[in-house]
């Protein structure tokens, strides 16, 4: 008696959940092991959806016995011999069987017009063997017609029992071994038939058994599943062998038919155990792929962190844009003769401050735009360099090389605009800081709207020409143009406020630039995310497999 439907339904539901979890693994990251991971995923989903789930939904259906083998092994002749009449017409032309032929009981004929997606020719009969078995003759497994091979492989996915037929001349061929291995691992029962044995080929059976052992497919030379069929002349219009010639095979099939319920329970139990084991391999593959993704991400993080550290170091060392901007700024506000200020000319410094606060708005705007452009260039140059470094590093990695596209070998197309936008927002916040400090610390009455902007520009240049005074040492420890900018700020805002303002400006600048660096790194992260699977998928697969193991134990315990 079949197990109660409630337990069967639960097992099928758990198997369906496992199939969904496994199928969700894309394994699209082009690493060395991905092809094998995809193969295992696809085979596992096939076992679940093409065999286990539908099979458990029809527990009373006859066992599907698939006769398969290479070209010229005599499959159709063997099926006709078991049936004692013509089921599948043999012939000398190859391939002879071009479509699966199903020999089944008349009352089941409608069920087998299609197996999976394969259309079949159905031959209904009242043979007593067909009460519990349905036998399918398939096209050659090694046919030169790809469509024929594909049909046979798909039919095998649905098989409960496989009669693998080969001849004394073909049993060592390499083609069938991978297919046989998959069927055996899945748990299907396999009967190995060695056909067309001559009297001089007595050693072929033991040799064939040795090959089976080497491939992990048989217990030994005495294994009863290795069934010899002597070469004989076919008889009658059905082109069948005498019943005695196939008696051992017929007896084996009758025994399977007699034990149909137990055989099906054993097969499905082994198939479930196989699926649970394979699910663990899929989960491990998801985690291994994640490690490969993290390795590529680490390259990106390291390159961009190095670029950011370089920018920070040059900022703190006062060399980021000093030679490009500071002298032009000094000339425009009359601070070119820095030496006179260093000698202590207080009146000269006051004159500079007066010039600064009195600059026309247009002139200050031009200086601000120049500073902004030079600053944006300093950032984008490092981003371009970082993108090239990532491309070089990924090029030597299989997965990285497959993911690299021309746009990933360079900084993003919008990086210049994005950088300028970030710096504009930073400048706006900087002007707001100056304006906030001004009413409390103001020393020069003429610092109004234009003076605020000018002081903001002075802050920029102080930050980017500093030699240490803005990074924790005493604020006045600076030289050359840096000291001039700091002196201007002190004159306009006061020493304490200038120190606070410049420090805040430095920190907020680095925070703003880090946003651009993060956005650039995000391009690579998005590519990696799209090509790989989240590690939580491994947990989903394992949880589904564990549920299958529990429900299978309950189902098969009856």
């Amino acid at each position: 008696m079949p197990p109660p439907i409630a337990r069967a339904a639960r097992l099928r539901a758990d198997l369906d959940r496992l199939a969904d979890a496994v199928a969700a693994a894309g394994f699209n990251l082009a690493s060395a092991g991905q092809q094998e991971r995809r193969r295992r995923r696809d085979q596992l989903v096939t076992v679940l959806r093409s065999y286990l789930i539908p099979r458990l939904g029809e527990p009373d259906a006859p066992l599907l016995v698939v006769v398969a083998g290479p070209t010229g092994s005599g499959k159709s002749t063997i099926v006709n011999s078991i049936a004692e009449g013509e089921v599948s017409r043999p012939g000398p032309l190859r391939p002879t069987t071009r479509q699966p032929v199903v020999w089944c009981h008349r009352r089941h004929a409608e069920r087998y017009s299609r197996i999976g997606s394969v259309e079949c020719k159905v031959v209904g009969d009242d043979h007593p063997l067909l009460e519990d078995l349905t036998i399918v003759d398939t096209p050659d497994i090694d046919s030169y017609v790809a469509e024929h091979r594909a049909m046979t492989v798909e039919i095998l996915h649905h098989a409960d029992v496989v009669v693998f037929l080969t001849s004394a001349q073909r049993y060592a061929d390499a083609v069938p071994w991978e297919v046989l291995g998959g069927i055996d691992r899945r748990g299907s029962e396999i009967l190995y038939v060695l056909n067309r044995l001559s009297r001089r080929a007595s050693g072929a059976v033991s040799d064939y058994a040795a090959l089976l052992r080497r491939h992990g497919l048989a217990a030994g030379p005495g294994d009863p599943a290795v069934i010899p069929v002597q070469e004989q002349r076919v008889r009658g219009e059905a082109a069948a062998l005498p019943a005695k010639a196939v008696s051992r095979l017929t007896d084996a099939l009758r025994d399977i038919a007699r034990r149909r319920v137990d055989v099906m329970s054993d097969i499905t139990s082994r198939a479930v155990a196989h699926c649970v084991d394979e699910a663990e391999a899929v989960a491990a593959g998801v985690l291994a792929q994640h490690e490969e993704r993290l390795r590529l991400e680490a390259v990106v993080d390291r390159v961009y962190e190095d670029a950011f550290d370089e920018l920070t170091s040059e900022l703190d060392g006062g060399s980021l844009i000093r030679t490009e901007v500071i002298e032009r700024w000094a000339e425009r506000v009359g601070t070119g003769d820095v030496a006179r200020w260093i000698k202590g000319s207080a009146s000269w410094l006051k004159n500079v401050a007066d010039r600064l606060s009195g600059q026309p708005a247009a002139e200050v705007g031009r200086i601000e735009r120049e500073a902004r452009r030079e600053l944006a260039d300093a950032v984008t140059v490092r981003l371009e360099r970082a993108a090239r470094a990532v491309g070089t590093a990924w090029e030597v990695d299989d997965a990285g090389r497959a993911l690299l596209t021309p746009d990933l070998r360079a900084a993003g197309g919008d990086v210049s605009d994005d950088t300028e936008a970030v710096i504009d927002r930073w400048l706006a916040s900087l002007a707001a800081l100056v304006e906030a400090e001004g009413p409390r610390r103001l020393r020069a009455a003429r610092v109004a709207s234009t003076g605020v902007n000018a002081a903001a520009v002075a802050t920029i240049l102080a930050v980017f020409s500093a030699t240490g005074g803005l990074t924790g040492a005493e604020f006045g420890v600076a030289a050359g143009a840096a000291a001039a900018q700091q002196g201007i700020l002190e004159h306009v805002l006061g020493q304490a406020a200038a120190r606070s303002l410049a420090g805040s400006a430095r920190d907020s600048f680095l925070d703003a630039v880090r946003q651009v660096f993060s956005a650039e790194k995000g391009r690579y992260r998005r590519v990696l995310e799209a090509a790989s699977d989240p590690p939580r998928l491994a947990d989903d697969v394992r949880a589904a497999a564990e549920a299958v193991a529990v429900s299978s134990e309950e189902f098969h315990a009856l």
Side-chain angles (χ1 to χ4, degrees):
M1 171 180 283
I5 187 62
R7 294 188 181 183
R10 177 185 170 188
L11 177 56
R12 293 183 74 213
D14 288 339
L15 289 168
D16 188 62
R17 175 189 166 199
L18 177 58
D20 285 343
V22 171
F27 292 129
N28 294 320
L29 196 64
S31 59
Q34 292 294 67
Q35 184 174 353
E36 174 61 18
R37 292 170 192 157
R38 288 192 289 267
R39 184 192 65 79
R40 297 187 86 147
R41 174 204 63 196
D42 294 344
Q43 288 186 350
L44 176 52
V45 171
T46 297
V47 173
L48 291 166
R49 295 211 183 280
S50 296
Y51 179 68
L52 269 174
I53 294 174
R55 194 65 183 93
L56 291 168
E58 295 184 305
D60 296 327
L63 295 175
L64 191 67
V65 180
V66 176
V67 180
T71 301
S73 57
K75 298 181 293 298
S76 299
T77 298
I78 290 294
V79 171
N80 290 342
S81 301
I82 296 169
E84 300 176 292
E86 183 177 307
V87 172
S88 185
R89 182 177 293 274
L93 297 178
R94 299 289 180 258
T96 302
T97 303
R98 301 168 185 264
Q99 180 186 29
V101 179
V102 179
W103 181 46
C104 66
H105 201 280
R106 294 186 192 279
R107 66 175 178 271
H108 299 310
E110 292 184 2
R111 171 181 291 174
Y112 297 110
S113 61
R114 181 182 293 271
I115 299 177
S117 64
V118 180
E119 292 186 4
C120 303
K121 175 185 176 182
V122 179
V123 178
D125 198 349
D126 295 322
H127 195 289
L129 191 62
L130 302 180
E131 292 287 344
D132 296 295
L133 303 180
T134 292
I135 298 177
V136 185
D137 181 21
T138 60
D140 301 331
I141 200 170
D142 60 349
S143 174
Y144 64 84
V145 181
E147 183 183 359
H148 294 175
R149 296 196 306 272
M151 284 191 291
T152 298
V153 169
E154 182 168 352
I155 295 291
L156 285 168
H157 290 325
H158 297 264
D160 297 302
V161 180
V162 174
V163 176
F164 184 74
L165 193 70
T166 189
S167 65
Q169 294 77 31
R170 302 294 306 274
Y171 67 83
D173 290 357
V175 173
W177 295 112
E178 183 178 352
V179 176
L180 285 173
I183 296 167
D184 182 72
R185 287 189 298 272
R186 191 189 76 190
S188 295
E189 190 155 335
I190 306 177
L191 301 179
Y192 297 97
V193 178
L194 195 55
N195 191 24
R196 294 177 174 169
L197 285 171
S198 66
R199 295 179 180 178
R200 299 179 181 179
S202 57
V205 173
S206 59
D207 190 31
Y208 183 38
L211 277 175
L212 294 174
R213 287 197 307 276
R214 282 203 292 274
H215 286 85
L217 297 173
D223 192 324
V226 180
I227 301 172
V229 176
Q230 297 296 322
E231 185 173 24
Q232 299 185 40
R233 180 176 298 177
V234 296
R235 300 178 180 179
E237 294 182 1
L241 297 171
K244 185 178 180 180
V246 294
S247 60
R248 288 185 59 180
L249 175 57
T250 303
D251 289 345
L253 292 173
R254 285 173 180 161
D255 179 64
I256 290 171
R258 180 179 55 81
R259 299 181 295 108
R260 183 187 66 81
V261 173
D262 291 339
V263 168
M264 193 189 84
S265 179
D266 290 344
I267 292 171
T268 55
S269 178
R270 290 194 298 267
V272 169
H274 165 73
C275 290
V276 170
D277 290 343
E278 287 297 286
E280 174 56 33
V282 171
V286 169
L287 295 180
Q289 177 188 239
H290 184 63
E291 290 299 318
E292 293 159 359
R293 168 186 170 176
L294 291 179
R295 187 183 67 248
L296 292 172
E297 282 186 354
V299 170
V300 176
D301 289 340
R302 184 172 63 252
V303 166
Y304 279 88
E305 283 303 314
D306 288 347
F308 188 81
D309 289 345
E310 176 191 334
L311 187 144
T312 303
S313 177
E314 293 189 12
L315 168 64
D316 291 341
S319 59
L320 188 62
I321 59 171
R322 176 188 293 178
T323 57
E324 300 151 2
V325 177
I326 302 302
E327 292 302 325
R328 286 193 292 276
W329 162 257
E331 290 172 3
R332 292 187 180 183
V333 298
T335 60
D337 190 2
V338 176
R340 283 188 293 164
W341 180 85
I342 296 174
K343 293 178 180 178
S345 174
S347 61
W348 181 87
L349 177 58
K350 183 178 183 301
N351 186 41
V352 169
D354 290 342
R355 287 195 201 177
L356 176 65
S357 59
Q359 282 287 312
E363 182 68 12
V364 172
R366 282 195 297 272
I367 298 168
E368 183 181 343
R369 286 192 297 274
E370 183 180 357
R372 181 173 63 243
R373 185 176 60 254
E374 295 288 344
L375 182 54
D377 289 346
V379 174
T380 55
V381 162
R382 283 158 181 81
L383 292 174
E384 286 286 356
R385 192 183 303 156
R388 290 195 298 270
V390 171
T392 301
W394 277 20
E395 186 68 42
V396 299
D397 184 282
D398 288 341
R401 184 167 54 254
L403 293 173
L404 274 178
T405 54
D407 61 307
L408 289 179
R409 297 175 184 270
D414 297 329
V415 71
S416 295
D417 293 340
D418 293 343
T419 301
E420 290 180 3
V422 166
I423 290 175
D424 283 346
R425 289 193 295 271
W426 173 69
L427 287 171
S429 67
L430 192 57
L433 282 174
V434 173
E435 193 168 12
E437 291 289 348
R440 299 196 306 269
R441 306 295 187 196
L442 200 57
R443 289 187 181 182
R446 285 179 292 172
V447 180
S449 60
T450 300
V452 168
N453 290 336
V457 175
T459 303
I460 297 169
L461 300 176
V463 170
F464 293 110
S465 61
T467 59
L470 304 178
T471 59
E474 184 176 349
F475 186 76
V477 180
Q485 310 311 322
Q486 293 168 7
I488 292 168
L489 288 176
E490 289 183 27
H491 181 80
V492 173
L493 300 175
Q495 188 180 69
R499 180 187 294 114
S500 173
L501 178 61
S504 297
R506 172 194 180 277
D507 294 341
S508 61
F509 167 74
L510 291 177
D511 289 343
V513 170
R514 190 175 284 279
Q515 295 175 27
V516 185
F517 275 67
S518 296
E520 281 294 288
K521 288 196 296 184
R523 297 189 303 137
Y524 300 94
R525 291 184 179 277
R526 287 190 293 274
V527 168
L528 288 169
E529 183 178 356
S532 56
D533 303 297
R536 68 174 181 276
L537 182 59
D539 296 332
D540 294 343
V541 170
R542 284 170 171 161
E546 183 177 352
V548 165
V550 172
S551 55
S552 176
E553 184 176 0
E554 293 177 355
F555 176 83
H556 290 102
L558 298 176

